[in-house]
Amino acid sequence: MRTVPGRTDRVVVVGAGLAGLAAALRLRGAGREVTVVERGPGPGGRAGVLTRSGYVLDTGPSVFTAPEVLEDTVAAVGDKLADRLTLLPLETTYQAQFADGSTLDVAADPDRFAAAVEALCGPAEAAALRRYLAELAELYRLQLSVFIDRNLDSPLDLLGPQLLTLARRGGFGRLWNHVARRFADDRLRRLFSFQALYAGVSPFRAIAAYAVIAQLDIGAGVWHPVGGIGAIPRALADSAADAGVALRYDADVRELTTSGGRVSGVRLADGETLPADAVVVTADAPHRLVPGLRGPRRPVHSPSCVALHLGVRAPLAGHAHHTISFGAAWREVFDELTRDGRPMSDPSLLVSMPSVTDRSLAPEGGQVLSVVAPTPNLEVGPSLDWRTLGPRYRDELLTTLEARGWTGLTGAIEVEELATPHDWAAQGMAAGTPFALAHTFGQTGPFRPSTLPRSGPENVVLAGSSVQPGVGVPMVLMSGRLAAERITG
């Protein structure tokens, strides 16, 4: 593994999102002097929080998996996650809502899940489910240490028996075909393939190896941090501060100063320069900040989304913490998102209502909801004027939700926040998507931008969703560790 040469005693981390905080904790645990600079007023990055009128709305990720990665992150400074954060396992991972009116509770307990599948789809599909859950667990174990949770400098790093095993198991075929061979019921096929959108690709184009994403949520379970997803970066920041990391908020970075092929300091917008032996940059498009760094050639970005966050004075009884609401259309909506550049004509939606689990997030009699609707990014859909389209699309989403069972939602809204691809772009996210580079084959594993680029200053390391290993809360936390290892060895 390549590492940063020379002295690395003083490290400046640019960005107090999950990747930056994870890197800071790892570096501090290895004895480095660490300063984190963040342009916002507090930690979080994309894991933002809006608090208004008693409602606490997470404006970033809404599904939290793999708590062991978070546990390991704070353990780098000798801390215990339980002392910082309370995590509640969800008994129902998702409630799947299908266009034919049927529903399926995806239970964390495999026996209860299999019983629900048998009641809905029959005993043969329940037996197929048990086989597939075991297969997913083994696939995840196979991929984690070799393909995901490590720094990769070359495709040659993958050579070994695990690669052959993955190929024999069809890991380089198409995800949809992989799932369709396991299940006859189209509803289960959708349930175990929609996660490809988390990786920024259609299930009809994603490689089958990305079936492991379903292991993270359906196989291993989903958790809720008390206080919301925004409590995670706050816990990481508190742990870092107590370990001696300097956290500088409202500190916008103007430029990186260089000397002799290395960054020597980080200059802030107010003119102050922080000396640095190494720098970790977590920006979505780091080549805009790092001198001499080449951006990816012909990048393919993930689809974007419209996110509607609501505080509602209504019980909305009968709905789960997370609901996957599938439209009737399937293959065609992925063409709309990734090829045609238009919003889904029959949308599938992720609706999260965490106040079902955590009443601290809403006042009495109220609920908080986050509705995520995938949309084309600004490269695929350049003609979409989201300044005009956004309010209309918001109304369409509410109409769709009302029709799908969230009755009385529209008239009970007290707080709302709408984010469109235009808003993501204004925050500096390439192509107006919060999901970064898509996990196409050419942007996966060793082909994804490295945490230690070969261009630019030799002591700049990258972390975040645009580099290895990729998108999602666990992956971003892993990227922070991988970035730190480029400095500590």
Side-chain angles (χ1 to χ4, degrees):
M1 181 185 73
R2 294 184 301 117
T3 57
V4 170
R7 181 177 175 179
T8 60
D9 297 334
R10 297 172 300 180
V11 184
V12 176
V13 178
V14 180
L18 298 178
L21 293 169
L25 283 160
R26 302 283 185 175
L27 291 163
R28 185 58 188 155
R32 300 309 194 268
E33 178 186 328
V34 183
T35 300
V36 178
V37 292
E38 165 60 46
R39 66 182 178 182
R46 297 186 193 190
V49 178
L50 173 69
T51 302
R52 191 184 301 162
S53 301
Y55 296 96
V56 181
L57 306 175
D58 283 312
T59 59
S62 54
V63 179
F64 176 65
T65 61
E68 66 276 6
V69 180
L70 188 60
E71 178 78 53
D72 189 58
T73 300
V74 298
V77 293
D79 210 347
K80 293 183 178 180
L81 183 61
D83 294 336
R84 301 285 180 183
L85 190 66
T86 299
L87 295 175
L88 303 176
L90 300 186
E91 293 184 4
T92 299
T93 300
Y94 298 110
Q95 184 177 84
Q97 180 188 83
F98 301 103
D100 64 1
S102 62
T103 61
L104 175 64
D105 282 352
V106 180
D109 176 73
D111 292 331
R112 192 159 66 90
F113 187 18
V117 168
E118 181 169 354
L120 181 67
C121 310
E125 292 296 83
L129 171 74
R130 291 186 182 277
R131 291 192 297 269
Y132 192 53
L133 290 176
E135 182 181 351
L136 284 179
E138 179 58 30
L139 191 64
Y140 183 68
R141 285 191 292 270
L142 171 67
Q143 293 190 54
L144 181 62
S145 61
V146 178
F147 306 106
I148 299 173
D149 194 17
R150 62 180 292 203
N151 278 303
L152 297 167
D153 291 316
S154 162
L156 297 177
D157 292 340
L158 296 180
L159 294 180
Q162 294 92 341
L163 183 65
L164 293 176
T165 301
L166 182 62
R168 289 193 194 102
R169 294 187 176 185
F172 298 105
R174 295 300 180 191
L175 175 61
W176 177 258
N177 296 335
H178 169 86
V179 176
R181 284 193 294 268
R182 273 69 178 176
F183 298 106
D185 194 296
D186 189 67
R187 292 169 294 188
L188 295 181
R189 292 173 174 178
R190 294 188 183 197
L191 182 64
F192 281 97
S193 63
F194 82 88
Q195 296 91 346
L197 273 183
Y198 293 162
V201 286
S202 158
F204 299 98
R205 292 188 57 208
I207 59 174
Y210 279 109
V212 298
I213 303 176
Q215 168 60 19
L216 284 173
D217 54 12
I218 294 178
V222 172
W223 300 67
H224 172 74
V226 172
I229 299 291
I232 296 175
R234 292 196 297 272
L236 293 177
D238 290 344
S239 182
D242 287 348
V245 174
L247 297 163
R248 302 276 301 271
Y249 301 120
D250 294 313
D252 201 3
V253 175
R254 177 184 297 171
E255 63 177 340
L256 305 184
T257 60
T258 59
S259 176
R262 292 173 67 90
V263 168
S264 57
V266 176
R267 183 168 295 156
L268 305 180
D270 63 5
E272 180 185 3
T273 298
L274 305 176
D277 299 317
V279 177
V280 179
V281 175
T282 67
D284 193 55
H287 57 278
R288 297 174 183 171
L289 175 64
V290 181
L293 177 63
R294 293 190 298 270
R297 296 180 60 189
R298 299 177 182 175
V300 178
H301 290 94
S302 300
S304 185
C305 71
V306 165
L308 180 60
H309 309 289
L310 303 171
V312 181
R313 186 72 69 169
L316 299 177
H319 293 290
H321 188 122
H322 294 299
T323 300
I324 302 293
S325 179
F326 291 102
W330 191 240
R331 185 185 292 264
E332 53 266 43
V333 298
F334 294 108
D335 289 339
E336 291 168 345
L337 290 174
T338 62
R339 187 189 67 188
D340 302 337
R342 62 175 184 265
M344 292 182 294
S345 54
D346 184 16
S348 291
L349 308 171
L350 170 61
V351 185
S352 297
M353 197 160 69
S355 49
V356 169
T357 303
D358 184 357
R359 288 306 309 165
S360 72
L361 301 178
E364 185 177 354
Q367 301 284 3
V368 294
L369 287 86
S370 289
V371 184
V372 178
T375 65
N377 64 42
L378 296 182
E379 291 177 343
V380 175
S383 63
L384 297 176
D385 180 4
W386 285 104
R387 295 177 184 85
T388 302
L389 178 59
R392 296 205 308 268
Y393 196 63
R394 172 258 189 203
D395 293 343
E396 290 179 16
L397 286 178
L398 292 175
T399 299
T400 299
L401 289 170
E402 291 269 3
R404 294 184 184 180
W406 279 270
T407 307
L409 169 66
T410 304
I413 296 172
E414 293 190 326
V415 172
E416 69 176 282
E417 185 79 4
L418 179 71
T420 73
H422 170 76
D423 299 304
W424 307 125
Q427 295 177 38
M429 299 179 193
T433 172
F435 305 116
L437 294 174
H439 283 261
T440 60
F441 183 81
Q443 294 178 164
T444 295
F447 307 112
R448 198 170 184 85
S450 170
T451 51
L452 183 57
R454 296 185 183 273
S455 62
E458 66 181 10
N459 61 338
V460 171
V461 175
L462 308 180
S465 55
S466 289
V467 300
Q468 298 173 10
V471 178
V473 172
M475 303 305 174
V476 168
L477 290 170
M478 289 178 192
S479 83
R481 180 179 65 77
L482 299 181
E485 288 180 358
R486 294 291 195 178
I487 294 171
T488 63

